């Protein structure tokens, strides 16, 4: 062990991570130095523990400080916000918005927290600047109608200068230019001179709202002068509030005074309060005297795991028991010129973000927050190519992050194994398409006209749709070559591709019924007297508004009720029921007379309602059974509850085995047989969560919620209807299980009479199949195996016959070869009926004899098969089998591609094979030129 010129003590190979790269080891500090000395049996005199505050210590000191100011310390909220207008929690105050708006009462008027936050709006800046991070922790203290500006400012200054010991001379502040109170407090109560107080407009010193509406107000920011070495020479950048790196914003004191409406109107909040945010990572970087947040001890374990990925203990790779990691160290220094610096920072940031998203139940997918997690993983995986990592590696870092954060955020360590599996699965999925996608992108780049240098938008979207390349990755790769993207064309292609489902209630109904309200009585009764208030014709039927109704409106996966509405002079069949705000809209078909305003009788189809309720209760049991047998990571991601039929989408990273399917189905039916009482109660949201009620993904809940409890087996928040006990479900039969999208599985099941009908039909089919096979139902498996073996033998004989036919015709086919610029080309029809394997073998035989390019088109029962083979000499001359077959396949209504030496494709129109073959010479000639 030795010390380098930077007074860093080293004990482990540092590669290029110390400025004195000729030395062999890297620095340890604080408690980790002591831990490493013990685990590595190093002499104490060789370890120098710096007097530097770690990130964990900073977090603790902050919360302890505000606890001493009579604040209640609350745990972090989820990264999934309750606000439907935002994808992720991106600010420390976001979970507390209902308190600021006066919609809910806070547990105390003074709160403090360390909130998990995540965002991707400035993802391109991650790793470029010293401060940007996708996932970050926001330390915050909050007041709801309690203390205001003076206390927030004075306490903030006290914490920074007294508790953390930061020199006041390096701290600067900014205020909103129309706020006269804040600068006076900074002068009078803190003692800052006017020169240290900057005044800016709304762009710089106004905060919020999160999303389209919500609390907002002026703010005052605190900046740390990081020193002249970070100057850029541009005074506009090198000032507090500038975009340069010299003055780092570490604390924002927000004075929440207004509730912004979606139209931009500012309404006063019922109780003005304080919302402050201090970035944990930024402040740690300043206290530890390092260049970027990625140099802090918060990132060091992750960064070093990336660098030493091959040294990770095998038990840790598989999510096994914790082991010592001797290279978890901090701080270190990255070479400014080191080309791996930026990729390592990006990978460290993105994998940390993905792990925390996964811990809150988010999975890689194509939409919303799922897409954000996929983007983090895929961008990090692509960055790994800069480090020479070609195989999945990100999942191996998950246990390192879990060990670093597990004590603070238990959900990370509890779900680490599942998260690692999700990430590994996503890496493998991306790996399988990455090579083809890069080949396609490089091909497109080669084909761009130099004067244009713009990738067409439809091609950029095809890269995403076919190869999983998000637009951001394509943009990033192309920018290095100075090529842009037609992003408007991309959006047009995306819009044309998307299948947007209609809203539950259209704009037509909204314009008719406006803000009307309906009293829902369907929990208590299925028949009631009501007043028909409004009706309008729609597509040959009518839409009807009642003042009160027993009809359940489609919501939470449960479809709407049907039944009848009977008036004095008319009778109508209710076809569907949906919601429009607080109004229940009934779509009706007139059976007698015409609708008119006045008293009516509304009658629900009870048998249908009960069939729906059987499926709904079974859905709750299914959810609980899946979590019991697969794990707590299972979360609902959508459902359909129809008469005796259900569809349930859930988070899981692998298909269910036959045994797992059986266990789940058996458990559901066991709980049905137990005849569990279905107890429904109204609770406050806090009470329901305290009971352990499961809230469903994507649902928005009010202050009062409805809990549905089935014995000691299931407890969920639910607004749907249910039968009084589980035995009323009768029977539940899982019909299918399969994938919907990445990491999302779907189960379809039948209940009640539909399940019985399904079982009877299955028995009938089994008996019919047994009769066809000439056996008894009990012997059908053995008979099927014998038949399958016979079919395989016949297929083998057929393939041999096809090979003989192809070989016999090879010499005749060779006579049709022509020469194109010195390259021999054979473009011809293959014997009719050849399958893919036979066609490929024939192409190989012909290519060996012709030493050029062989193009074969075959008609296989009306379907077109193409095979193109190019010899090494032909490839040197410019021939490319993949590009050639792609052009020919277009003519026959198909597509395909492949390598330069061999490619296959398909088509739909066999009548165009000869037309396509005639084009082969021109296509090959253009390649050779």
């Amino acid at each position: 062990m030795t010390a380098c010129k930077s007074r860093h003590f080293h004990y482990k190979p540092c590669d290029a991570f110390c400025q004195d790269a000729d030395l062999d080891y890297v620095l340890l500090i604080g408690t980790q130095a002591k831990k490493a000395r013990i685990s590595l049996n190093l002499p104490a005199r060789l370890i120098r523990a710096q007097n530097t505050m770690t990130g964990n210590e900073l977090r603790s000191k902050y919360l302890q400080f505000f606890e001493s100011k009579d604040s209640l310390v609350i745990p972090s909220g989820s990264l999934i916000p309750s606000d439907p207008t935002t994808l992720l929690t991106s600010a420390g105050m976001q979970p507390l918005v209902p308190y600021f708006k006066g919609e809910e009462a806070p547990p105390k008027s003074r709160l403090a927290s360390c909130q998990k936050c995540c965002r991707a709006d400035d993802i391109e800046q991650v790793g470029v600047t010293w401060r940007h991070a996708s996932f970050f922790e926001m330390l915050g203290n909050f007041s709801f109608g309690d203390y205001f500006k003076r206390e927030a400012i004075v306490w903030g200054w006290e914490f920074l200068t007294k508790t953390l010991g930061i020199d006041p001379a390096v701290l600067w502040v900014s205020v909103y230019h129309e706020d006269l109170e804040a600068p006076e407090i900074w002068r009078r109560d803190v003692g800052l001179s006017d020169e240290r107080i900057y005044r800016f407009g709304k762009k710089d010193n106004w905060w919020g709202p999160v999303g389209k509406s919500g609390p907002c107000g002026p703010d005052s920011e605190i900046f740390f002068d990081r020193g002249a070495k970070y100057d850029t020479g541009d005074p506009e950048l090198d000032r507090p509030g500038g975009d340069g790196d010299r003055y780092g914003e570490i604390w924002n004191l927000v004075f929440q005074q207004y509730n912004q409406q979606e139209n931009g109107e500012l309404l006063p909040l019922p109780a003005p309060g304080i919302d402050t945010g201090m970035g944990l990572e930024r402040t740690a970087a300043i206290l530890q005297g390092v260049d970027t947040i990625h140099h802090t001890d918060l990132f060091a374990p992750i960064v070093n795991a990336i660098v030493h990925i091959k040294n990770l203990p095998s038990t840790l790779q598989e999510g096994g028991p914790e082991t010592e990691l001797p290279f978890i160290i901090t701080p270190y220094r990255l070479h400014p010129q080191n080309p791996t610096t930026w990729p390592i920072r990006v990978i460290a940031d993105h994998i940390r973000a993905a792990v925390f998203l996964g811990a809150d139940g988010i999975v890689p997918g194509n939409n919303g927050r799922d897409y954000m997690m996929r983007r983090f993983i895929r961008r990090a995986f692509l960055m790994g190519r800069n480090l020479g990592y070609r195989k999945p590696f990100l999942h191996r870092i998950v246990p390192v992050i879990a060990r670093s954060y597990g004590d603070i955020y238990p959900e990370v360590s509890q779900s680490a194994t599942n998260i690692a599996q999700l990430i590994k699965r996503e890496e493998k999925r991306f790996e399988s398409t990455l090579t083809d996608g890069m080949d396609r992108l490089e091909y497109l780049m080669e084909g761009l006209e130099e004067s244009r240098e713009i990738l067409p938008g439809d091609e950029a979207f095809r890269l995403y749709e076919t190869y999983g390349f998000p637009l951001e990755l394509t943009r990033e790769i192309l920018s290095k070559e100075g090529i842009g993207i037609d992003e408007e064309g991309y959006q047009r292609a995306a819009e044309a591709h998307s299948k947007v489902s209609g809203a539950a209630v259209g704009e037509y109904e909204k314009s008719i019924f406006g803000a009307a309200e309906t009293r829902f009585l369907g929990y208590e009764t299925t028949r009631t007297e009501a007043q028909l208030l409004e009706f309008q014709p729609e597509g040959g039927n009518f839409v009807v508004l009642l003042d009160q109704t027993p009809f359940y409106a489609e919501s939470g996966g449960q479809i709407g009720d049907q039944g009848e509405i009977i008036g004095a002079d008319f009778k109508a069949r209710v076809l569907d029921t949906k919601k429009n705000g607080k109004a229940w809209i009934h779509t009706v078909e007139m059976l007698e007379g015409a609708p008119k305003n006045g008293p009516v009788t509304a009658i629900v189809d009870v048998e249908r309602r009960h069939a729906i309720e059987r499926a709904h209760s079974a859905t709750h049991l299914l959810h609980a059974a899946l979590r019991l047998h697969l794990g707590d990571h299972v979360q609902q991601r959508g459902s359909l509850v129809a008469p005796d039929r259900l569809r349930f989408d859930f988070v899981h990273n692998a298909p269910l085995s036959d045994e797992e399917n059986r266990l789940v189905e058996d458990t559901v039916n066991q709980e049905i047989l137990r005849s569990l009482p279905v107890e429904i109660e109204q609770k406050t949201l806090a009470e329901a969560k305290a009971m352990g009620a499961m809230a469903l993904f994507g649902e928005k809940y009010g202050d009062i919620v409805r809990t549905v409890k089935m014995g000691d087996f299931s407890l969920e928040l639910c607004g749907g209807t249910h039968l009084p006990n589980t035995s009323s479900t009768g029977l539940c039969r899982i019909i299918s299980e399969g994938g919907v999208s990445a990491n999302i599985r779907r189960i379809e099941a039948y209940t009640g009479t539909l399940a019985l009908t399904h079982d009877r039909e299955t028995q009938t089919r089994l008996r019919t199949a047994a009769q066809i096979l000439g056996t008894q139902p009990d012997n059908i498996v053995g008979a099927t195996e014998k038949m399958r073996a016979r079919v395989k033998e016949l297929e083998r004989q057929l393939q041999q016959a096809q090979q003989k036919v192809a070989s016999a015709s090879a010499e005749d086919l060779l006579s049709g070869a022509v020469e194109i610029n010195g390259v021999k080309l054979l473009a011809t029809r293959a014997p009719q009926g050849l399958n893919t394997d036979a066609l490929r073998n024939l192409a190989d035989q012909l290519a060996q004899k012709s030493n050029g390019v062989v193009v074969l088109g075959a008609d296989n029962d009306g379907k077109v098969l193409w095979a193109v083979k190019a010899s090494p000499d032909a490839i040197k001359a410019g021939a490319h089998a993949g590009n050639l077959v792609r052009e020919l396949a277009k003519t026959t209504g198909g597509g395909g591609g492949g390598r330069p030496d061999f490619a296959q494709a398909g088509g739909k129109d066999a009548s165009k094979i000869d037309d396509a073959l005639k084009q082969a010479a021109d296509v090959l000639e253009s390649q050779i030129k």
Side-chain angles (χ1 to χ4, degrees):
M1 179 166 295
T2 185
C4 66
K5 291 178 242 178
S6 305
R7 298 179 61 80
H8 296 164
F9 284 84
H10 299 75
Y11 80 101
K12 193 70 180 165
C14 69
D15 300 326
F17 290 91
C18 176
Q19 290 180 342
D20 302 301
D22 57 316
L23 294 176
D24 297 326
Y25 299 97
V26 179
L27 163 76
L28 299 94
I29 70 163
T31 57
Q32 289 185 345
K34 180 179 178 182
K35 185 176 183 181
R37 175 173 63 79
I38 296 171
S39 64
L40 299 174
N41 196 27
L42 296 173
R45 61 183 176 83
L46 295 181
I47 302 290
R48 179 187 177 195
Q50 291 187 348
N51 184 20
T52 303
M53 187 178 296
T54 67
N56 285 343
E57 291 168 344
L58 172 59
R59 188 191 296 109
S60 295
K61 284 185 179 292
Y62 181 92
L63 297 176
Q64 289 167 5
F65 176 85
F66 281 98
E67 196 170 31
S68 73
K69 304 297 183 185
D70 200 28
S71 295
L72 173 66
V73 175
I74 58 173
S76 171
S78 171
L79 285 172
I80 301 176
S82 58
D83 180 359
T85 67
T86 58
L87 287 177
L88 294 172
T89 300
S90 59
M93 57 76 68
Q94 200 167 340
L96 312 180
V97 166
Y99 302 154
F100 282 108
K101 294 170 71 173
E103 297 172 348
E104 296 180 21
K108 194 172 183 178
S109 60
R110 299 181 181 187
L111 301 178
S113 71
C114 183
Q115 173 63 44
K116 302 179 295 186
C117 300
C118 190
R119 63 188 178 201
D121 52 351
D122 49 9
I123 193 172
E124 290 82 5
Q125 295 300 310
V126 170
V128 177
T129 71
W130 76 277
R131 64 190 187 276
H132 278 91
S134 301
F135 171 84
F136 54 96
E137 296 178 80
M138 189 60 68
L139 296 161
N141 57 284
F142 311 94
S143 165
F144 308 95
D146 197 310
Y147 65 83
F148 201 46
K149 293 183 183 181
R150 181 186 177 280
E151 291 86 349
I153 290 173
V154 171
W155 290 346
W157 191 260
E158 179 186 346
F159 180 74
L160 291 175
T161 59
K162 297 294 194 298
T163 305
L164 300 185
I166 297 177
D167 184 355
V170 297
L171 296 176
W172 301 69
V173 303
S174 67
V175 296
Y176 183 52
H177 65 99
E178 294 182 6
D179 185 351
L180 303 180
E181 186 179 3
E184 178 60 25
I185 296 171
W186 281 115
R187 283 192 299 265
R188 183 188 66 237
D189 297 292
V190 174
L192 287 185
S193 62
D194 279 339
E195 292 75 17
R196 302 272 295 285
I197 305 172
Y198 282 73
R199 292 164 174 79
F200 298 122
K202 207 164 189 178
K203 179 175 177 288
D204 294 290
N205 278 96
W206 184 276
W207 194 93
V210 176
K212 298 179 181 179
S213 62
C216 58
D219 65 42
S220 182
E221 298 177 335
I222 304 176
F223 301 90
F224 180 91
D225 184 356
R226 304 174 70 227
K229 71 175 183 176
Y230 296 104
D231 275 349
T232 65
D234 184 342
E236 187 59 25
L237 296 176
D238 304 330
R239 63 164 177 81
D243 290 331
D245 282 351
R246 174 166 181 172
Y247 291 90
E249 178 210 332
I250 57 173
W251 206 332
N252 192 1
L253 312 173
V254 181
F255 313 126
Q256 299 280 11
Q257 297 176 237
Y258 303 101
N259 184 14
Q260 180 174 309
Q261 307 302 295
E262 289 199 14
N263 62 5
E265 182 183 5
L266 294 176
L267 301 178
L269 283 171
I274 291 296
D275 152 31
T276 80
M278 185 174 81
L280 177 69
E281 290 83 359
R282 294 185 185 189
T283 308
I286 287 168
L287 293 175
Q288 294 175 17
V290 293
D291 290 335
T292 75
I293 61 173
H294 301 94
H295 290 77
T296 64
D297 72 305
L298 295 166
F299 273 98
I302 308 170
V303 168
N304 284 284
I306 295 168
V307 176
H308 300 280
I309 193 74
K310 295 177 182 178
N311 296 337
L312 282 175
S314 58
T315 53
L316 198 62
Q317 292 176 26
E318 303 304 324
E322 292 186 2
T323 59
E324 284 295 331
L325 293 181
F327 52 81
I328 296 184
I329 47 181
T330 185
Y332 54 84
R333 296 202 178 274
L334 292 173
H335 266 306
Q337 291 79 30
N338 183 351
T340 65
T341 297
W342 174 60
I344 288 174
R345 293 179 185 176
V346 173
I347 294 169
D349 171 271
H350 288 8
I351 185 60
R352 189 173 74 143
V355 167
F356 272 89
L357 290 175
D360 278 352
I362 298 169
V363 297
N366 289 330
N367 299 296
R369 55 182 68 95
D370 290 349
Y371 171 73
M372 293 174 72
M373 185 174 180
R374 166 165 285 174
R375 185 180 176 192
F376 287 137
I377 295 170
R378 293 195 168 189
R379 193 165 186 260
F381 185 83
L382 198 60
M383 288 289 169
R385 294 166 70 92
N386 293 283
L387 308 177
Y389 298 162
R390 301 285 171 172
K391 296 295 181 182
F393 69 99
L394 297 170
H395 62 281
R396 297 168 64 182
I397 306 169
V398 174
V400 177
I401 299 172
R403 196 177 76 168
S404 296
Y405 286 94
D407 290 342
I408 307 300
Y409 301 105
E411 65 271 19
V412 174
S413 57
Q414 290 167 0
S415 54
T417 300
N418 181 62
I419 295 170
Q421 291 172 347
L422 286 175
I423 292 175
K424 185 176 183 179
R425 190 177 179 89
E426 183 64 22
E427 287 184 277
K428 286 187 173 182
R429 183 178 288 108
F430 190 40
E431 177 195 20
S432 67
T433 61
L434 184 58
T435 300
D436 291 341
M438 289 298 295
D439 287 346
R440 176 63 181 166
L441 183 54
E442 289 169 3
Y443 169 76
L444 293 171
M445 291 164 65
E446 290 173 3
L448 290 176
E449 300 176 12
E450 292 184 6
S451 59
R452 188 179 178 195
E453 293 188 340
I454 294 291
L455 181 70
D458 59 341
E459 291 288 3
F461 179 73
R462 195 170 294 116
L463 282 167
Y464 164 67
E465 180 189 8
T466 305
Y467 302 105
F469 268 47
L471 177 63
E472 299 80 8
L473 289 184
T474 303
R475 185 192 298 123
E476 206 166 274
I477 295 168
L478 292 178
S479 66
K480 297 177 182 178
E481 305 297 328
I483 299 174
I485 298 176
D486 174 15
E487 301 206 12
E488 290 185 4
Y490 179 94
Q491 295 302 328
R492 287 195 298 271
E495 290 169 6
H497 177 265
S498 63
K499 304 282 186 181
V500 182
S501 60
V505 176
E507 293 299 321
Y508 178 67
E509 287 88 348
K510 291 181 182 179
S511 66
I512 296 172
F513 300 118
E517 293 188 20
T518 304
R519 183 184 176 200
F520 176 57
L521 305 176
Y523 292 141
E524 298 84 23
T525 184
T526 55
R527 180 187 182 110
T528 189
E529 304 303 314
Q531 290 290 321
L532 194 157
L533 303 178
E534 296 283 348
F535 64 91
Q536 289 289 338
E538 184 187 70
N541 294 314
F542 287 86
V543 288
V544 170
L545 174 69
L546 306 179
D547 67 332
Q548 60 185 22
T549 182
F551 290 90
Y552 183 86
E554 180 180 327
S555 179
Q558 180 174 333
I559 65 173
D561 277 336
Q562 296 179 354
E564 291 183 331
I565 296 178
I566 302 173
D569 300 315
F570 72 89
K571 183 177 182 181
R573 178 186 293 115
V574 177
L575 304 176
D576 197 7
T577 311
K578 294 185 183 298
K579 284 183 183 179
N580 172 23
K582 296 182 178 181
W584 265 236
I585 309 301
H586 309 78
T587 300
V588 303
E589 174 190 16
M590 299 308 301
L591 300 177
E592 300 174 9
K596 65 179 181 180
N597 296 351
V600 296
T601 302
I603 309 167
V604 173
D605 182 339
V606 175
E607 288 302 316
R608 182 176 181 274
R609 163 77 80 83
H610 287 342
I612 294 172
E613 290 171 336
R614 285 194 291 269
H616 203 157
S617 295
T619 301
H620 284 224
L621 296 175
L622 175 64
H623 193 181
L626 286 167
R627 289 173 65 87
L628 175 67
H629 294 297
L630 302 184
D632 290 343
H633 65 277
V634 169
Q635 293 186 27
Q636 180 176 334
R637 283 302 181 87
S639 68
L640 170 68
V641 179
D644 276 332
R645 180 170 64 90
L646 66 94
R647 185 179 69 224
F648 187 78
D649 296 347
F650 60 98
V651 175
H652 190 55
N653 61 3
L656 270 65
S657 66
D658 291 342
E659 176 65 14
E660 287 171 331
N661 261 317
R662 186 188 65 76
L663 281 172
V664 170
E665 185 180 83
D666 285 352
T667 299
V668 172
N669 285 299
Q670 286 165 8
E671 299 306 318
I672 290 172
L673 291 174
R674 288 176 63 195
S675 193
L676 302 174
V678 179
E679 303 172 68
I680 298 175
E681 295 183 295
Q682 300 281 343
K683 301 282 185 182
T684 66
L685 184 58
E687 288 173 339
K689 288 182 177 180
M691 291 168 58
M694 193 185 312
L696 299 186
F697 179 86
E699 292 290 326
K700 184 170 175 61
Y701 300 99
D703 294 339
I704 303 299
V705 294
R706 194 165 175 266
T707 62
V708 177
K709 185 174 183 291
M710 299 180 184
D712 55 358
F713 188 70
S714 171
L715 176 59
E716 292 189 18
L717 304 184
C718 178
T721 63
H722 293 267
L723 290 170
N725 58 69
T726 61
S727 63
S728 302
T729 303
L731 174 67
C732 180
R733 184 71 74 217
I734 292 178
I735 304 305
S736 66
E737 186 278 332
V740 179
S741 60
N743 305 306
I744 303 295
R745 310 297 300 175
R746 170 173 291 172
I747 282 180
E748 298 197 38
Y750 294 158
T751 61
T753 56
L754 193 56
L756 289 173
T757 300
H758 168 77
D759 283 356
R760 291 195 187 102
E761 290 175 350
T762 300
Q763 289 294 325
T764 300
R765 287 192 294 268
L766 186 63
R767 286 193 295 270
T768 303
Q771 290 173 359
I772 294 172
L773 292 170
T775 187
Q776 295 299 315
D778 290 346
N779 300 325
I780 195 169
V781 174
T784 303
E785 288 293 336
K786 287 181 181 179
M787 177 171 283
R788 185 167 66 174
R790 177 61 177 156
V791 169
K792 284 186 176 180
E793 174 60 21
L794 292 173
E795 287 176 343
R796 186 187 65 80
Q797 294 176 12
L798 175 62
Q799 188 170 357
Q800 287 178 344
Q802 287 186 335
Q803 296 292 356
K804 290 178 181 179
V805 171
S807 298
S809 62
E811 293 299 330
D812 293 337
L813 294 175
L814 283 169
S815 63
V818 298
E819 192 170 293
I820 306 294
N821 293 343
V823 176
K824 192 175 288 186
L825 169 66
L826 173 60
T828 184
R829 271 182 179 263
Q832 188 161 348
L834 292 188
N835 61 21
T836 301
D837 290 337
L839 190 66
R840 176 173 188 153
N841 290 334
L842 179 58
D844 287 339
Q845 292 179 35
L846 293 171
Q848 289 173 7
K849 296 179 180 182
S850 66
N851 192 30
V853 176
V854 174
V855 178
L856 297 178
D859 180 350
N860 190 317
D861 292 332
K863 295 181 180 179
V864 181
L865 299 179
W866 289 101
V868 178
K869 182 80 175 182
S871 70
D873 290 341
I875 294 171
K876 288 180 181 178
H880 192 293
N883 297 339
L884 198 160
V885 80
R886 184 181 296 111
E887 295 302 318
L888 302 186
K890 289 179 182 177
T891 302
T892 56
R899 306 188 308 268
D901 63 323
F902 180 77
Q904 291 180 288
K908 300 176 182 177
D909 190 351
S911 68
K912 298 291 181 65
I913 292 177
D914 291 333
D915 294 339
L917 288 169
K918 292 175 183 178
Q919 301 172 19
D922 292 337
V923 176
L924 179 61
E925 184 177 12
S926 68
Q927 290 183 344
I928 296 174
K929 283 182 178 181

